[in-house]
Amino acid sequence: MRKGLSEKKLAFILIIPAIIIIFAIVIYPLINALYQSFFDYNLAFPHLRDFYGLGNYIDVLKNGYFWQSLLNTVYFTVFSIGLELLLGFIVALVLNQEFIGKWLVRTLIIIPWAVPPVVNATVWKWIANSEYGSLNSILYTLGIIKKYRVWLSDPFWSMMLVIIADVWKYTPLVAIMFLAALQTIPDDLYEAAKIDGANPLRRIISITIPLIKPTIIVVLILRTFEAFKVFDLIFVMTRGGPAFKTTVISYFTYLETFSQLNVGRGSAIAYIIVFFMSLLSYLYIRSLKNTDNY
Amino acid sequence: MNRIKIIIITVLVLVFTAGIILSSSCAGAAGEEAAGEEPAEEAAGGAVTLTSLFMSQAGYSEEDVRNITDEFMEANPDIKVDLTFVAYENLHDKIVTSLSSGAGGYDTILIDTVWPAEFASAGFLLDITDKVTSEMQEDIWPAALKAVVWEDRIVGMPWLNDVEYFYYNEKMLKEAGFDNPPATWSELKEQGEVLIEKGIVEHPFIDEWAQEEALTAQYTQYLYAFGGEFFDEDLNPLFNQGGGLEALEFMAENMQSGIINPASTESAWEACRNVFSQGNAAFCVNFTYMWGLANDPDESTVAGDVKLGLMPGEVVESATLNGGMGMGISSKTKYPDEAWKYVEYLSSKDVQKRYAKNALPIWKSLFDDPEVIETQPELVNMSKEQYAYIVNRPIVPWYSDLSRAFQIEIHNAVLGQKTPQQALDDVATVARDLKEKYSE
């Protein structure tokens, strides 16, 4: 007589807890942040809280520091991802070959990725330290530099070192993803190309790259978002210095919100970032649509 | 096709997550704090647990604070105190995130001279004006008291009485043919040139110029030494002219010429202490705590050669930074009486006398106490002279914004990205905007 719940109802009941949690910790803060971004609200001056319309957005877009931090972010993103894709691709190609101890190398290569981000940042901060860092000591011993340099206070090198730290950590991830894609390419394609007289470089350009293009784009999207949000590296290694040269957009948002307590403006910046990211993802999706299918 | 769908979904999820992380990290940060420092369930009936936030550098060492707290808990078995230590440069943000989260945060917090304005106007701190009696106030060094006062209200108990001192390596100076430490910054430059010429030290002076609060603090000393002022009475910027400008020009010029160690721009107090203690600098400016450490053979290769001088002046005799700090009580605490008891104990004459090695007492009367003098006679004597030249960072509610602008622009100037004039003009623009914004 007893009839069980219909499948639909059961499913609904089962996902209710998840929905409640998502609303509480995702949707609500998201909407609340949007709401706050329309107010001139500084936690240090709660009594001055006032509706400000789009004022926060206008203030931010007129702020020179905001644009510089955005530029810094783009610089970081382009360089680190470019290097990661290039190095990751090369490493994947090597790992795709047959050689003794391949399993060992494949395991070892993943280690940097397994290191917690803050640890990675601290390690690189120490490596780059001007007094006791190994970077100075190695370059000096090799005779590449004449005297110890202050890497993390150099307007150019500070950003480069942050990029290197990021590349060191995320190249393995990229390499493993590429490796997975490479293994789906059938060997007979290469054999056929070989018979047709294509050299190794030609084979990579004409077979490998087109066939792993979807993976390249997935990696690109993943890494772009991650790089755009980079925070831990900056917070630990440079705190945005020297002379603002490594202040990326997420660190800028943090400063605005938590150091200056400017909740309204901080939320506005966060939403501006969301806008930029949506734009980026739109562009990526479009470029994906133009991909030929094999 | 399926693949495209998956990717589109992934992207949407990513955009979503990005938004959440960036826009609502407020909730995240607050959540973490709460998770980390959940007070332990009260063991015995009626026992109270206080959470207390300190810094782990300069002034009293972490060990000192733990010992003092253990003494306090022994004397007050019904009060338990949980301690948290963070680096000075993280202290401000830590306080702000925990006290503004609504979750309560810490019961007592360590506050620096420049924060009472901001914290008190945000309502973070308990007004304890009636607890600090006028008798107490008379015996406390004015600079230490100033660190906890905002609009005639006392919002914290003075605890750490500190100023910066000028440390020099006597052996190096003798070698270079100088009998006295530099009395002015120009003299420091002259001595530095000889030190470099004779190959005694590569970069004679290391200073705290990392792009953080330290930089604004150090600039304050140069500014006043060169006879500058931050603002006029109506808070109009004055630092981009006269003494303020000359100060920055001095900093930039000596950075370019190598008198000042290029590592300064990534160094705060501990880093400078290390360089000086390794014998890689002839001059260093630092707080009281370095005196003991720089003369400790386990910590320093130049122990015995380290001497104290009056902070150099230029237009004025000398200028040193008010590094006084106080213990504030959170306005959200559930145990204001117990918190006061703890804070009072930390600052009590008995404690301050016994732990005078890393930070001198806030009480004037203790400076004539033979036991206090005995801990480090040279420093105590120098402090009496140095206290006449204490200067303060600007005390305005929008100090954090202002300080950030100073940090960025001073870096721009000393790293040769902008001229000192341009850099300070840019700070002045920021200052004018801030003043206008918060003038209501």
Side-chain angles (χ1 to χ4, degrees), chain B residues 114-321:
Chain B
V114 280
W115 303 335
E118 178 187 352
F119 292 173
S121 62
F124 288 169
L125 299 171
L126 208 63
D127 185 347
I128 53 169
T129 315
D130 53 335
K131 301 216 157 134
V132 187
T133 62
S134 55
E135 196 185 323
M136 285 159 85
Q137 289 182 35
E138 264 164 41
D139 196 20
I140 296 171
W141 285 101
L145 192 60
K146 197 179 160 96
V148 291
V149 173
W150 170 239
E151 288 181 341
D152 298 330
R153 284 177 296 146
I154 298 178
V155 292
M157 180 67 202
W159 178 57
L160 187 62
N161 173 37
D162 219 343
V163 296
E164 290 205 77
Y165 295 94
F166 187 76
Y167 293 82
Y168 67 98
N169 187 317
E170 193 184 32
K171 196 173 150 209
M172 288 183 184
L173 285 201
K174 286 239 164 83
E175 228 175 293
F178 298 107
D179 291 329
N180 291 308
T184 63
W185 289 111
S186 310
E187 200 181 339
L188 179 137
K189 186 185 160 198
E190 286 157 26
Q191 295 192 356
E193 278 163 358
V194 177
L195 283 160
I196 295 176
E197 216 171 278
K198 295 198 174 168
I200 295 166
V201 60
E202 195 184 353
H203 300 294
F205 184 31
I206 177 115
D207 204 0
E208 292 85 12
W209 291 5
Q211 190 184 317
E212 44 194 64
E213 188 50 36
L215 183 53
T216 319
Q218 300 313 104
Y219 173 68
T220 303
Q221 298 178 136
Y222 293 102
L223 175 132
Y224 282 108
F226 281 84
E229 282 286 342
F230 277 107
F231 296 103
D232 67 9
E233 276 157 25
D234 299 321
L235 290 182
N236 295 310
L238 292 176
F239 49 77
N240 55 345
Q241 47 183 290
L245 178 61
E246 281 166 40
L248 186 56
E249 281 167 351
F250 173 86
M251 291 166 76
E253 188 188 315
N254 289 292
M255 174 64 109
Q256 314 296 345
S257 70
I259 304 256
I260 291 169
N261 193 326
S264 294
T265 48
E266 62 169 31
S267 305
W269 292 280
E270 270 298 86
C272 289
R273 176 173 79 82
N274 288 334
V275 171
F276 184 80
S277 300
Q278 295 301 314
N280 292 329
F283 311 114
C284 178
V285 169
N286 211 325
F287 290 106
T288 311
Y289 85 105
M290 181 166 127
W291 176 246
L293 293 171
N295 277 314
D296 175 357
D298 290 339
E299 286 277 345
S300 162
T301 59
V302 293
D305 301 329
V306 183
K307 289 281 172 315
L308 284 171
L310 195 65
M311 279 288 291
E314 188 70 36
V315 175
V316 299
E317 184 75 20
S318 172
T320 184
L321 183 80

Side-chain angles (χ1 to χ4, degrees), chain B residues 401-422:
Chain B
D401 279 274
L402 178 71
S403 177
R404 181 179 65 176
F406 267 119
Q407 293 161 30
I408 294 168
E409 298 305 343
I410 294 174
H411 249 199
N412 270 326
V414 297
L415 292 169
Q417 310 279 307
K418 281 186 189 173
T419 64
Q421 181 72 64
Q422 184 61 47

